[in-house]
Amino acid sequence: MAPHVAVRRSLRSPHHKVWRVSEPPHREQPGTLDSSPPSAPKQPPTSASEQPPTSALDDTTELFLGGPEDPSILKSFKNHVAVSIWAGEERGVLKCNSHGQRIPDWPLANQQRIYDIVVRSQLAPLIESTYRFVNPTVVSAFSERWQPETNTFHLPFGEMTLTLDDVATILKIPVVGSPVSVPHLTGNEAQNLLCRLLGVSVVEAAGQIAETRGPYMKLDWLRKTFMNVPNSAPDEEMYNASRAYLLFILGCTLFVDKSGIMISISYIALLEDLSISSMYAWGAAYLAYLYRQLGIASRRDVKEICGYLTLLETWIYEHFSLTRSKHNLSYTDELPRAHRWLPVREYDSLQSLREQLDDLIEDQVIWTPYRRHRAQHPLHEIAFFSGCLKCGGVIEPYHPERVLRQFGHIQNIPPPPLSPIEAKRVELRQHIR
């Protein structure tokens, strides 16, 4: 298992350790999935939010005081924020670019037909489950524990991460289905898509592309252009407005970028046939996207994080009582687990939370928070897939075998993590006993 990295200054050295735990397993039988992860495509130019963490030769970790004793796993650790904090260089609280507060700006009270299409897409939970505000202290403290080589949080007692089971349970959006793979568009291709699938004029489409300086569209433009389409509109107009609303929701939640005001026109290609929009593995794609954003936020020179942080914040509340989040008394088990919590707007201080995480022991962790609620939130076998997740040009390793305690099993020593170009078929059965 990869090393824990303490981030409390002058208290604990982030030396390499190996754990073998012996928590009695909950007798919940896992499934296995023999699946071929995607091969890595040639990487096109990407936005800042899609850029991978630094992996150049000058980022390679060598032995240094206070660092891992074995740098073979955490190869880019010397550029990790924990190194800066250890050296007394404080980064502070991250700026969180998460835009759930925009969702109420486009109510669907008078657009029931659009809402019905959103429900059929299985993305409706994003409307009601999204936290309007994010707790930046909680997000920052856990981002400091993230290691992009393993895509896990490194804690005093071992590793933990967000899994496909967490996505399905917290958000109740699909984690199984077709990959979320979008084309890379030229300006003319983007313009043609806007005209054909949103029904706007060539002038309007060209104006958006010129204003955003690329194949993007502004979320406010989508809202202002389509939010007043009447419920009695012809079918074609209603389908165009429904695509616009789905793009608006995706831009406010799953695919937030650092601009906070735009979404790539590429995503509209996934909504051409609205009858199959529910067949995409939206949740799996977002998990890859979130892994990438956490990897970026773990770098010492990064001051912000973007993404759908409702998922991350809820995951923290589910597993760690130290965050002092409050229960939503109106929650019922049929709802996504994100509804279970009333987010804490403020926290004492980042340093206080760091110290609590440094002192955390495994008995204080809620390892299997959904165990008694499987009738409403079933555990799908896809959660045990080990390989790579893909979201457009973003490809990230997914290693449930590193966090077996989260599935109620005993943790053994996992194999080395994959890099995206080393994806292979793996049966998790070999890692579980």
Side-chain angles (χ1 to χ4, degrees):
M1 188 169 291
H4 151 59
V5 176
V7 293
R8 180 168 50 177
R9 285 180 54 193
S10 304
L11 291 177
R12 199 165 298 169
S13 176
H15 283 221
H16 181 81
K17 302 180 189 294
V18 175
W19 297 270
R20 189 176 185 87
V21 303
S22 57
E23 182 186 86
H26 164 61
R27 298 300 181 187
E28 193 168 350
Q29 294 301 316
T32 59
L33 182 68
D34 186 13
S35 179
S36 297
S39 59
K42 293 182 179 179
Q43 294 295 319
T46 58
S47 66
S49 67
E50 292 182 334
Q51 292 293 338
T54 305
S55 58
L57 290 177
D58 63 357
D59 192 38
T60 302
T61 296
E62 299 176 352
L63 292 176
F64 62 92
L65 182 64
E69 294 176 359
D70 178 359
S72 63
I73 299 296
L74 305 185
K75 297 179 181 178
S76 65
F77 181 72
K78 78 173 187 179
N79 280 328
H80 197 281
V81 64
V83 175
S84 296
I85 296 170
W86 181 258
E89 301 169 8
E90 181 60 59
R91 178 175 73 174
V93 175
L94 291 168
K95 176 185 177 182
C96 295
N97 291 312
S98 190
H99 298 287
Q101 74 273 16
R102 291 175 175 267
I103 295 176
D105 294 344
W106 187 343
L108 294 180
N110 298 317
Q111 294 179 310
Q112 182 63 40
R113 291 169 65 194
I114 292 181
Y115 182 74
D116 291 343
I117 289 173
V118 176
V119 169
R120 290 196 292 272
S121 75
Q122 297 191 46
L123 292 174
L126 299 178
I127 302 175
E128 299 299 334
S129 300
T130 301
Y131 298 158
R132 301 299 180 248
F133 300 94
V134 173
N135 187 317
T137 303
V138 171
V139 170
S140 298
F142 277 83
S143 297
E144 293 171 354
R145 307 275 170 163
W146 186 261
Q147 296 293 342
E149 284 86 356
T150 59
N151 278 342
T152 56
F153 298 103
H154 288 208
L155 296 159
F157 43 80
E159 300 176 40
M160 296 182 70
T161 198
L162 296 99
T163 68
L164 291 170
D165 181 43
D166 293 307
V167 178
T169 304
I170 290 171
L171 301 180
K172 272 203 164 182
I173 60 174
V175 294
V176 180
S178 301
V180 175
S181 184
V182 294
H184 296 278
L185 303 174
T186 65
N188 286 336
E189 290 170 336
Q191 180 177 298
N192 291 338
L193 270 181
L194 284 182
C195 295
R196 183 164 61 87
L197 298 181
L198 292 186
V200 298
S201 68
V202 172
V203 173
E204 287 178 290
Q208 270 303 290
I209 293 169
E211 188 175 351
T212 59
R213 299 182 180 181
Y216 303 94
M217 50 195 152
K218 289 191 172 181
L219 300 176
D220 277 349
W221 174 77
L222 288 168
R223 179 179 60 84
K224 292 174 182 177
T225 304
F226 295 97
M227 71 177 297
N228 293 317
V229 173
N231 208 44
S232 58
D235 287 350
E236 191 61 35
E237 188 176 354
M238 190 56 61
Y239 295 151
N240 293 339
S242 298
R243 293 186 188 99
Y245 185 80
L246 286 168
L247 289 167
F248 175 79
I249 287 295
L250 291 172
C252 290
T253 57
L254 302 187
F255 304 125
V256 172
D257 68 7
K258 288 186 178 180
S259 77
I261 62 172
M262 298 186 293
I263 185 171
S264 172
I265 294 172
S266 298
Y267 289 111
I268 199 174
L270 302 172
L271 305 174
E272 180 168 4
D273 185 350
L274 290 168
S275 68
I276 63 170
S277 56
S278 64
M279 297 176 65
Y280 291 104
W282 297 106
Y286 179 64
L287 190 56
Y289 191 83
L290 180 59
Y291 280 179
R292 176 61 57 86
Q293 299 309 317
L294 283 167
I296 294 170
S298 73
R299 302 297 87 185
R300 63 196 304 172
D301 57 345
V302 173
K303 308 294 185 183
E304 60 185 330
I305 183 172
C306 69
Y308 185 46
L309 300 178
T310 291
L311 174 61
L312 174 59
E313 199 168 343
T314 303
W315 182 86
I316 294 169
Y317 295 154
E318 290 283 351
H319 290 86
F320 303 92
S321 59
L322 56 82
T323 52
R324 298 203 302 270
S325 49
K326 298 179 180 179
H327 287 278
N328 180 358
L329 298 180
S330 64
Y331 171 78
T332 61
D333 271 348
E334 291 73 24
L335 296 170
R337 293 283 282 197
H339 281 272
R340 187 170 177 245
W341 303 100
L342 299 174
V344 179
R345 290 290 301 276
E346 301 294 337
Y347 197 84
D348 293 344
S349 71
L350 177 57
Q351 182 63 22
S352 173
L353 187 50
R354 283 174 181 163
E355 292 176 6
Q356 290 184 67
L357 289 175
D358 273 344
D359 294 333
L360 198 65
I361 60 176
E362 63 180 282
D363 288 344
Q364 296 173 303
V365 175
I366 305 167
W367 290 101
T368 55
Y370 323 128
R371 180 169 60 86
R372 298 180 180 178
H373 309 276
R374 287 304 186 187
Q376 294 79 23
H377 302 283
L379 175 60
H380 196 286
E381 67 176 4
I382 194 70
F384 297 99
F385 162 77
S386 180
C388 288
L389 303 175
K390 185 174 186 293
C391 177
V394 172
I395 300 176
E396 289 289 335
Y398 173 73
H399 290 301
E401 68 272 14
R402 303 189 74 87
V403 294
L404 293 181
R405 287 177 288 184
Q406 291 179 225
F407 298 100
H409 293 278
I410 295 173
Q411 182 66 57
N412 54 18
I413 303 300
L418 295 173
S419 65
I421 61 173
E422 295 171 339
K424 299 177 182 177
R425 293 188 177 188
V426 176
E427 285 195 3
L428 192 58
R429 184 184 294 115
Q430 63 185 300
H431 304 302
I432 296 177
R433 57 176 184 172

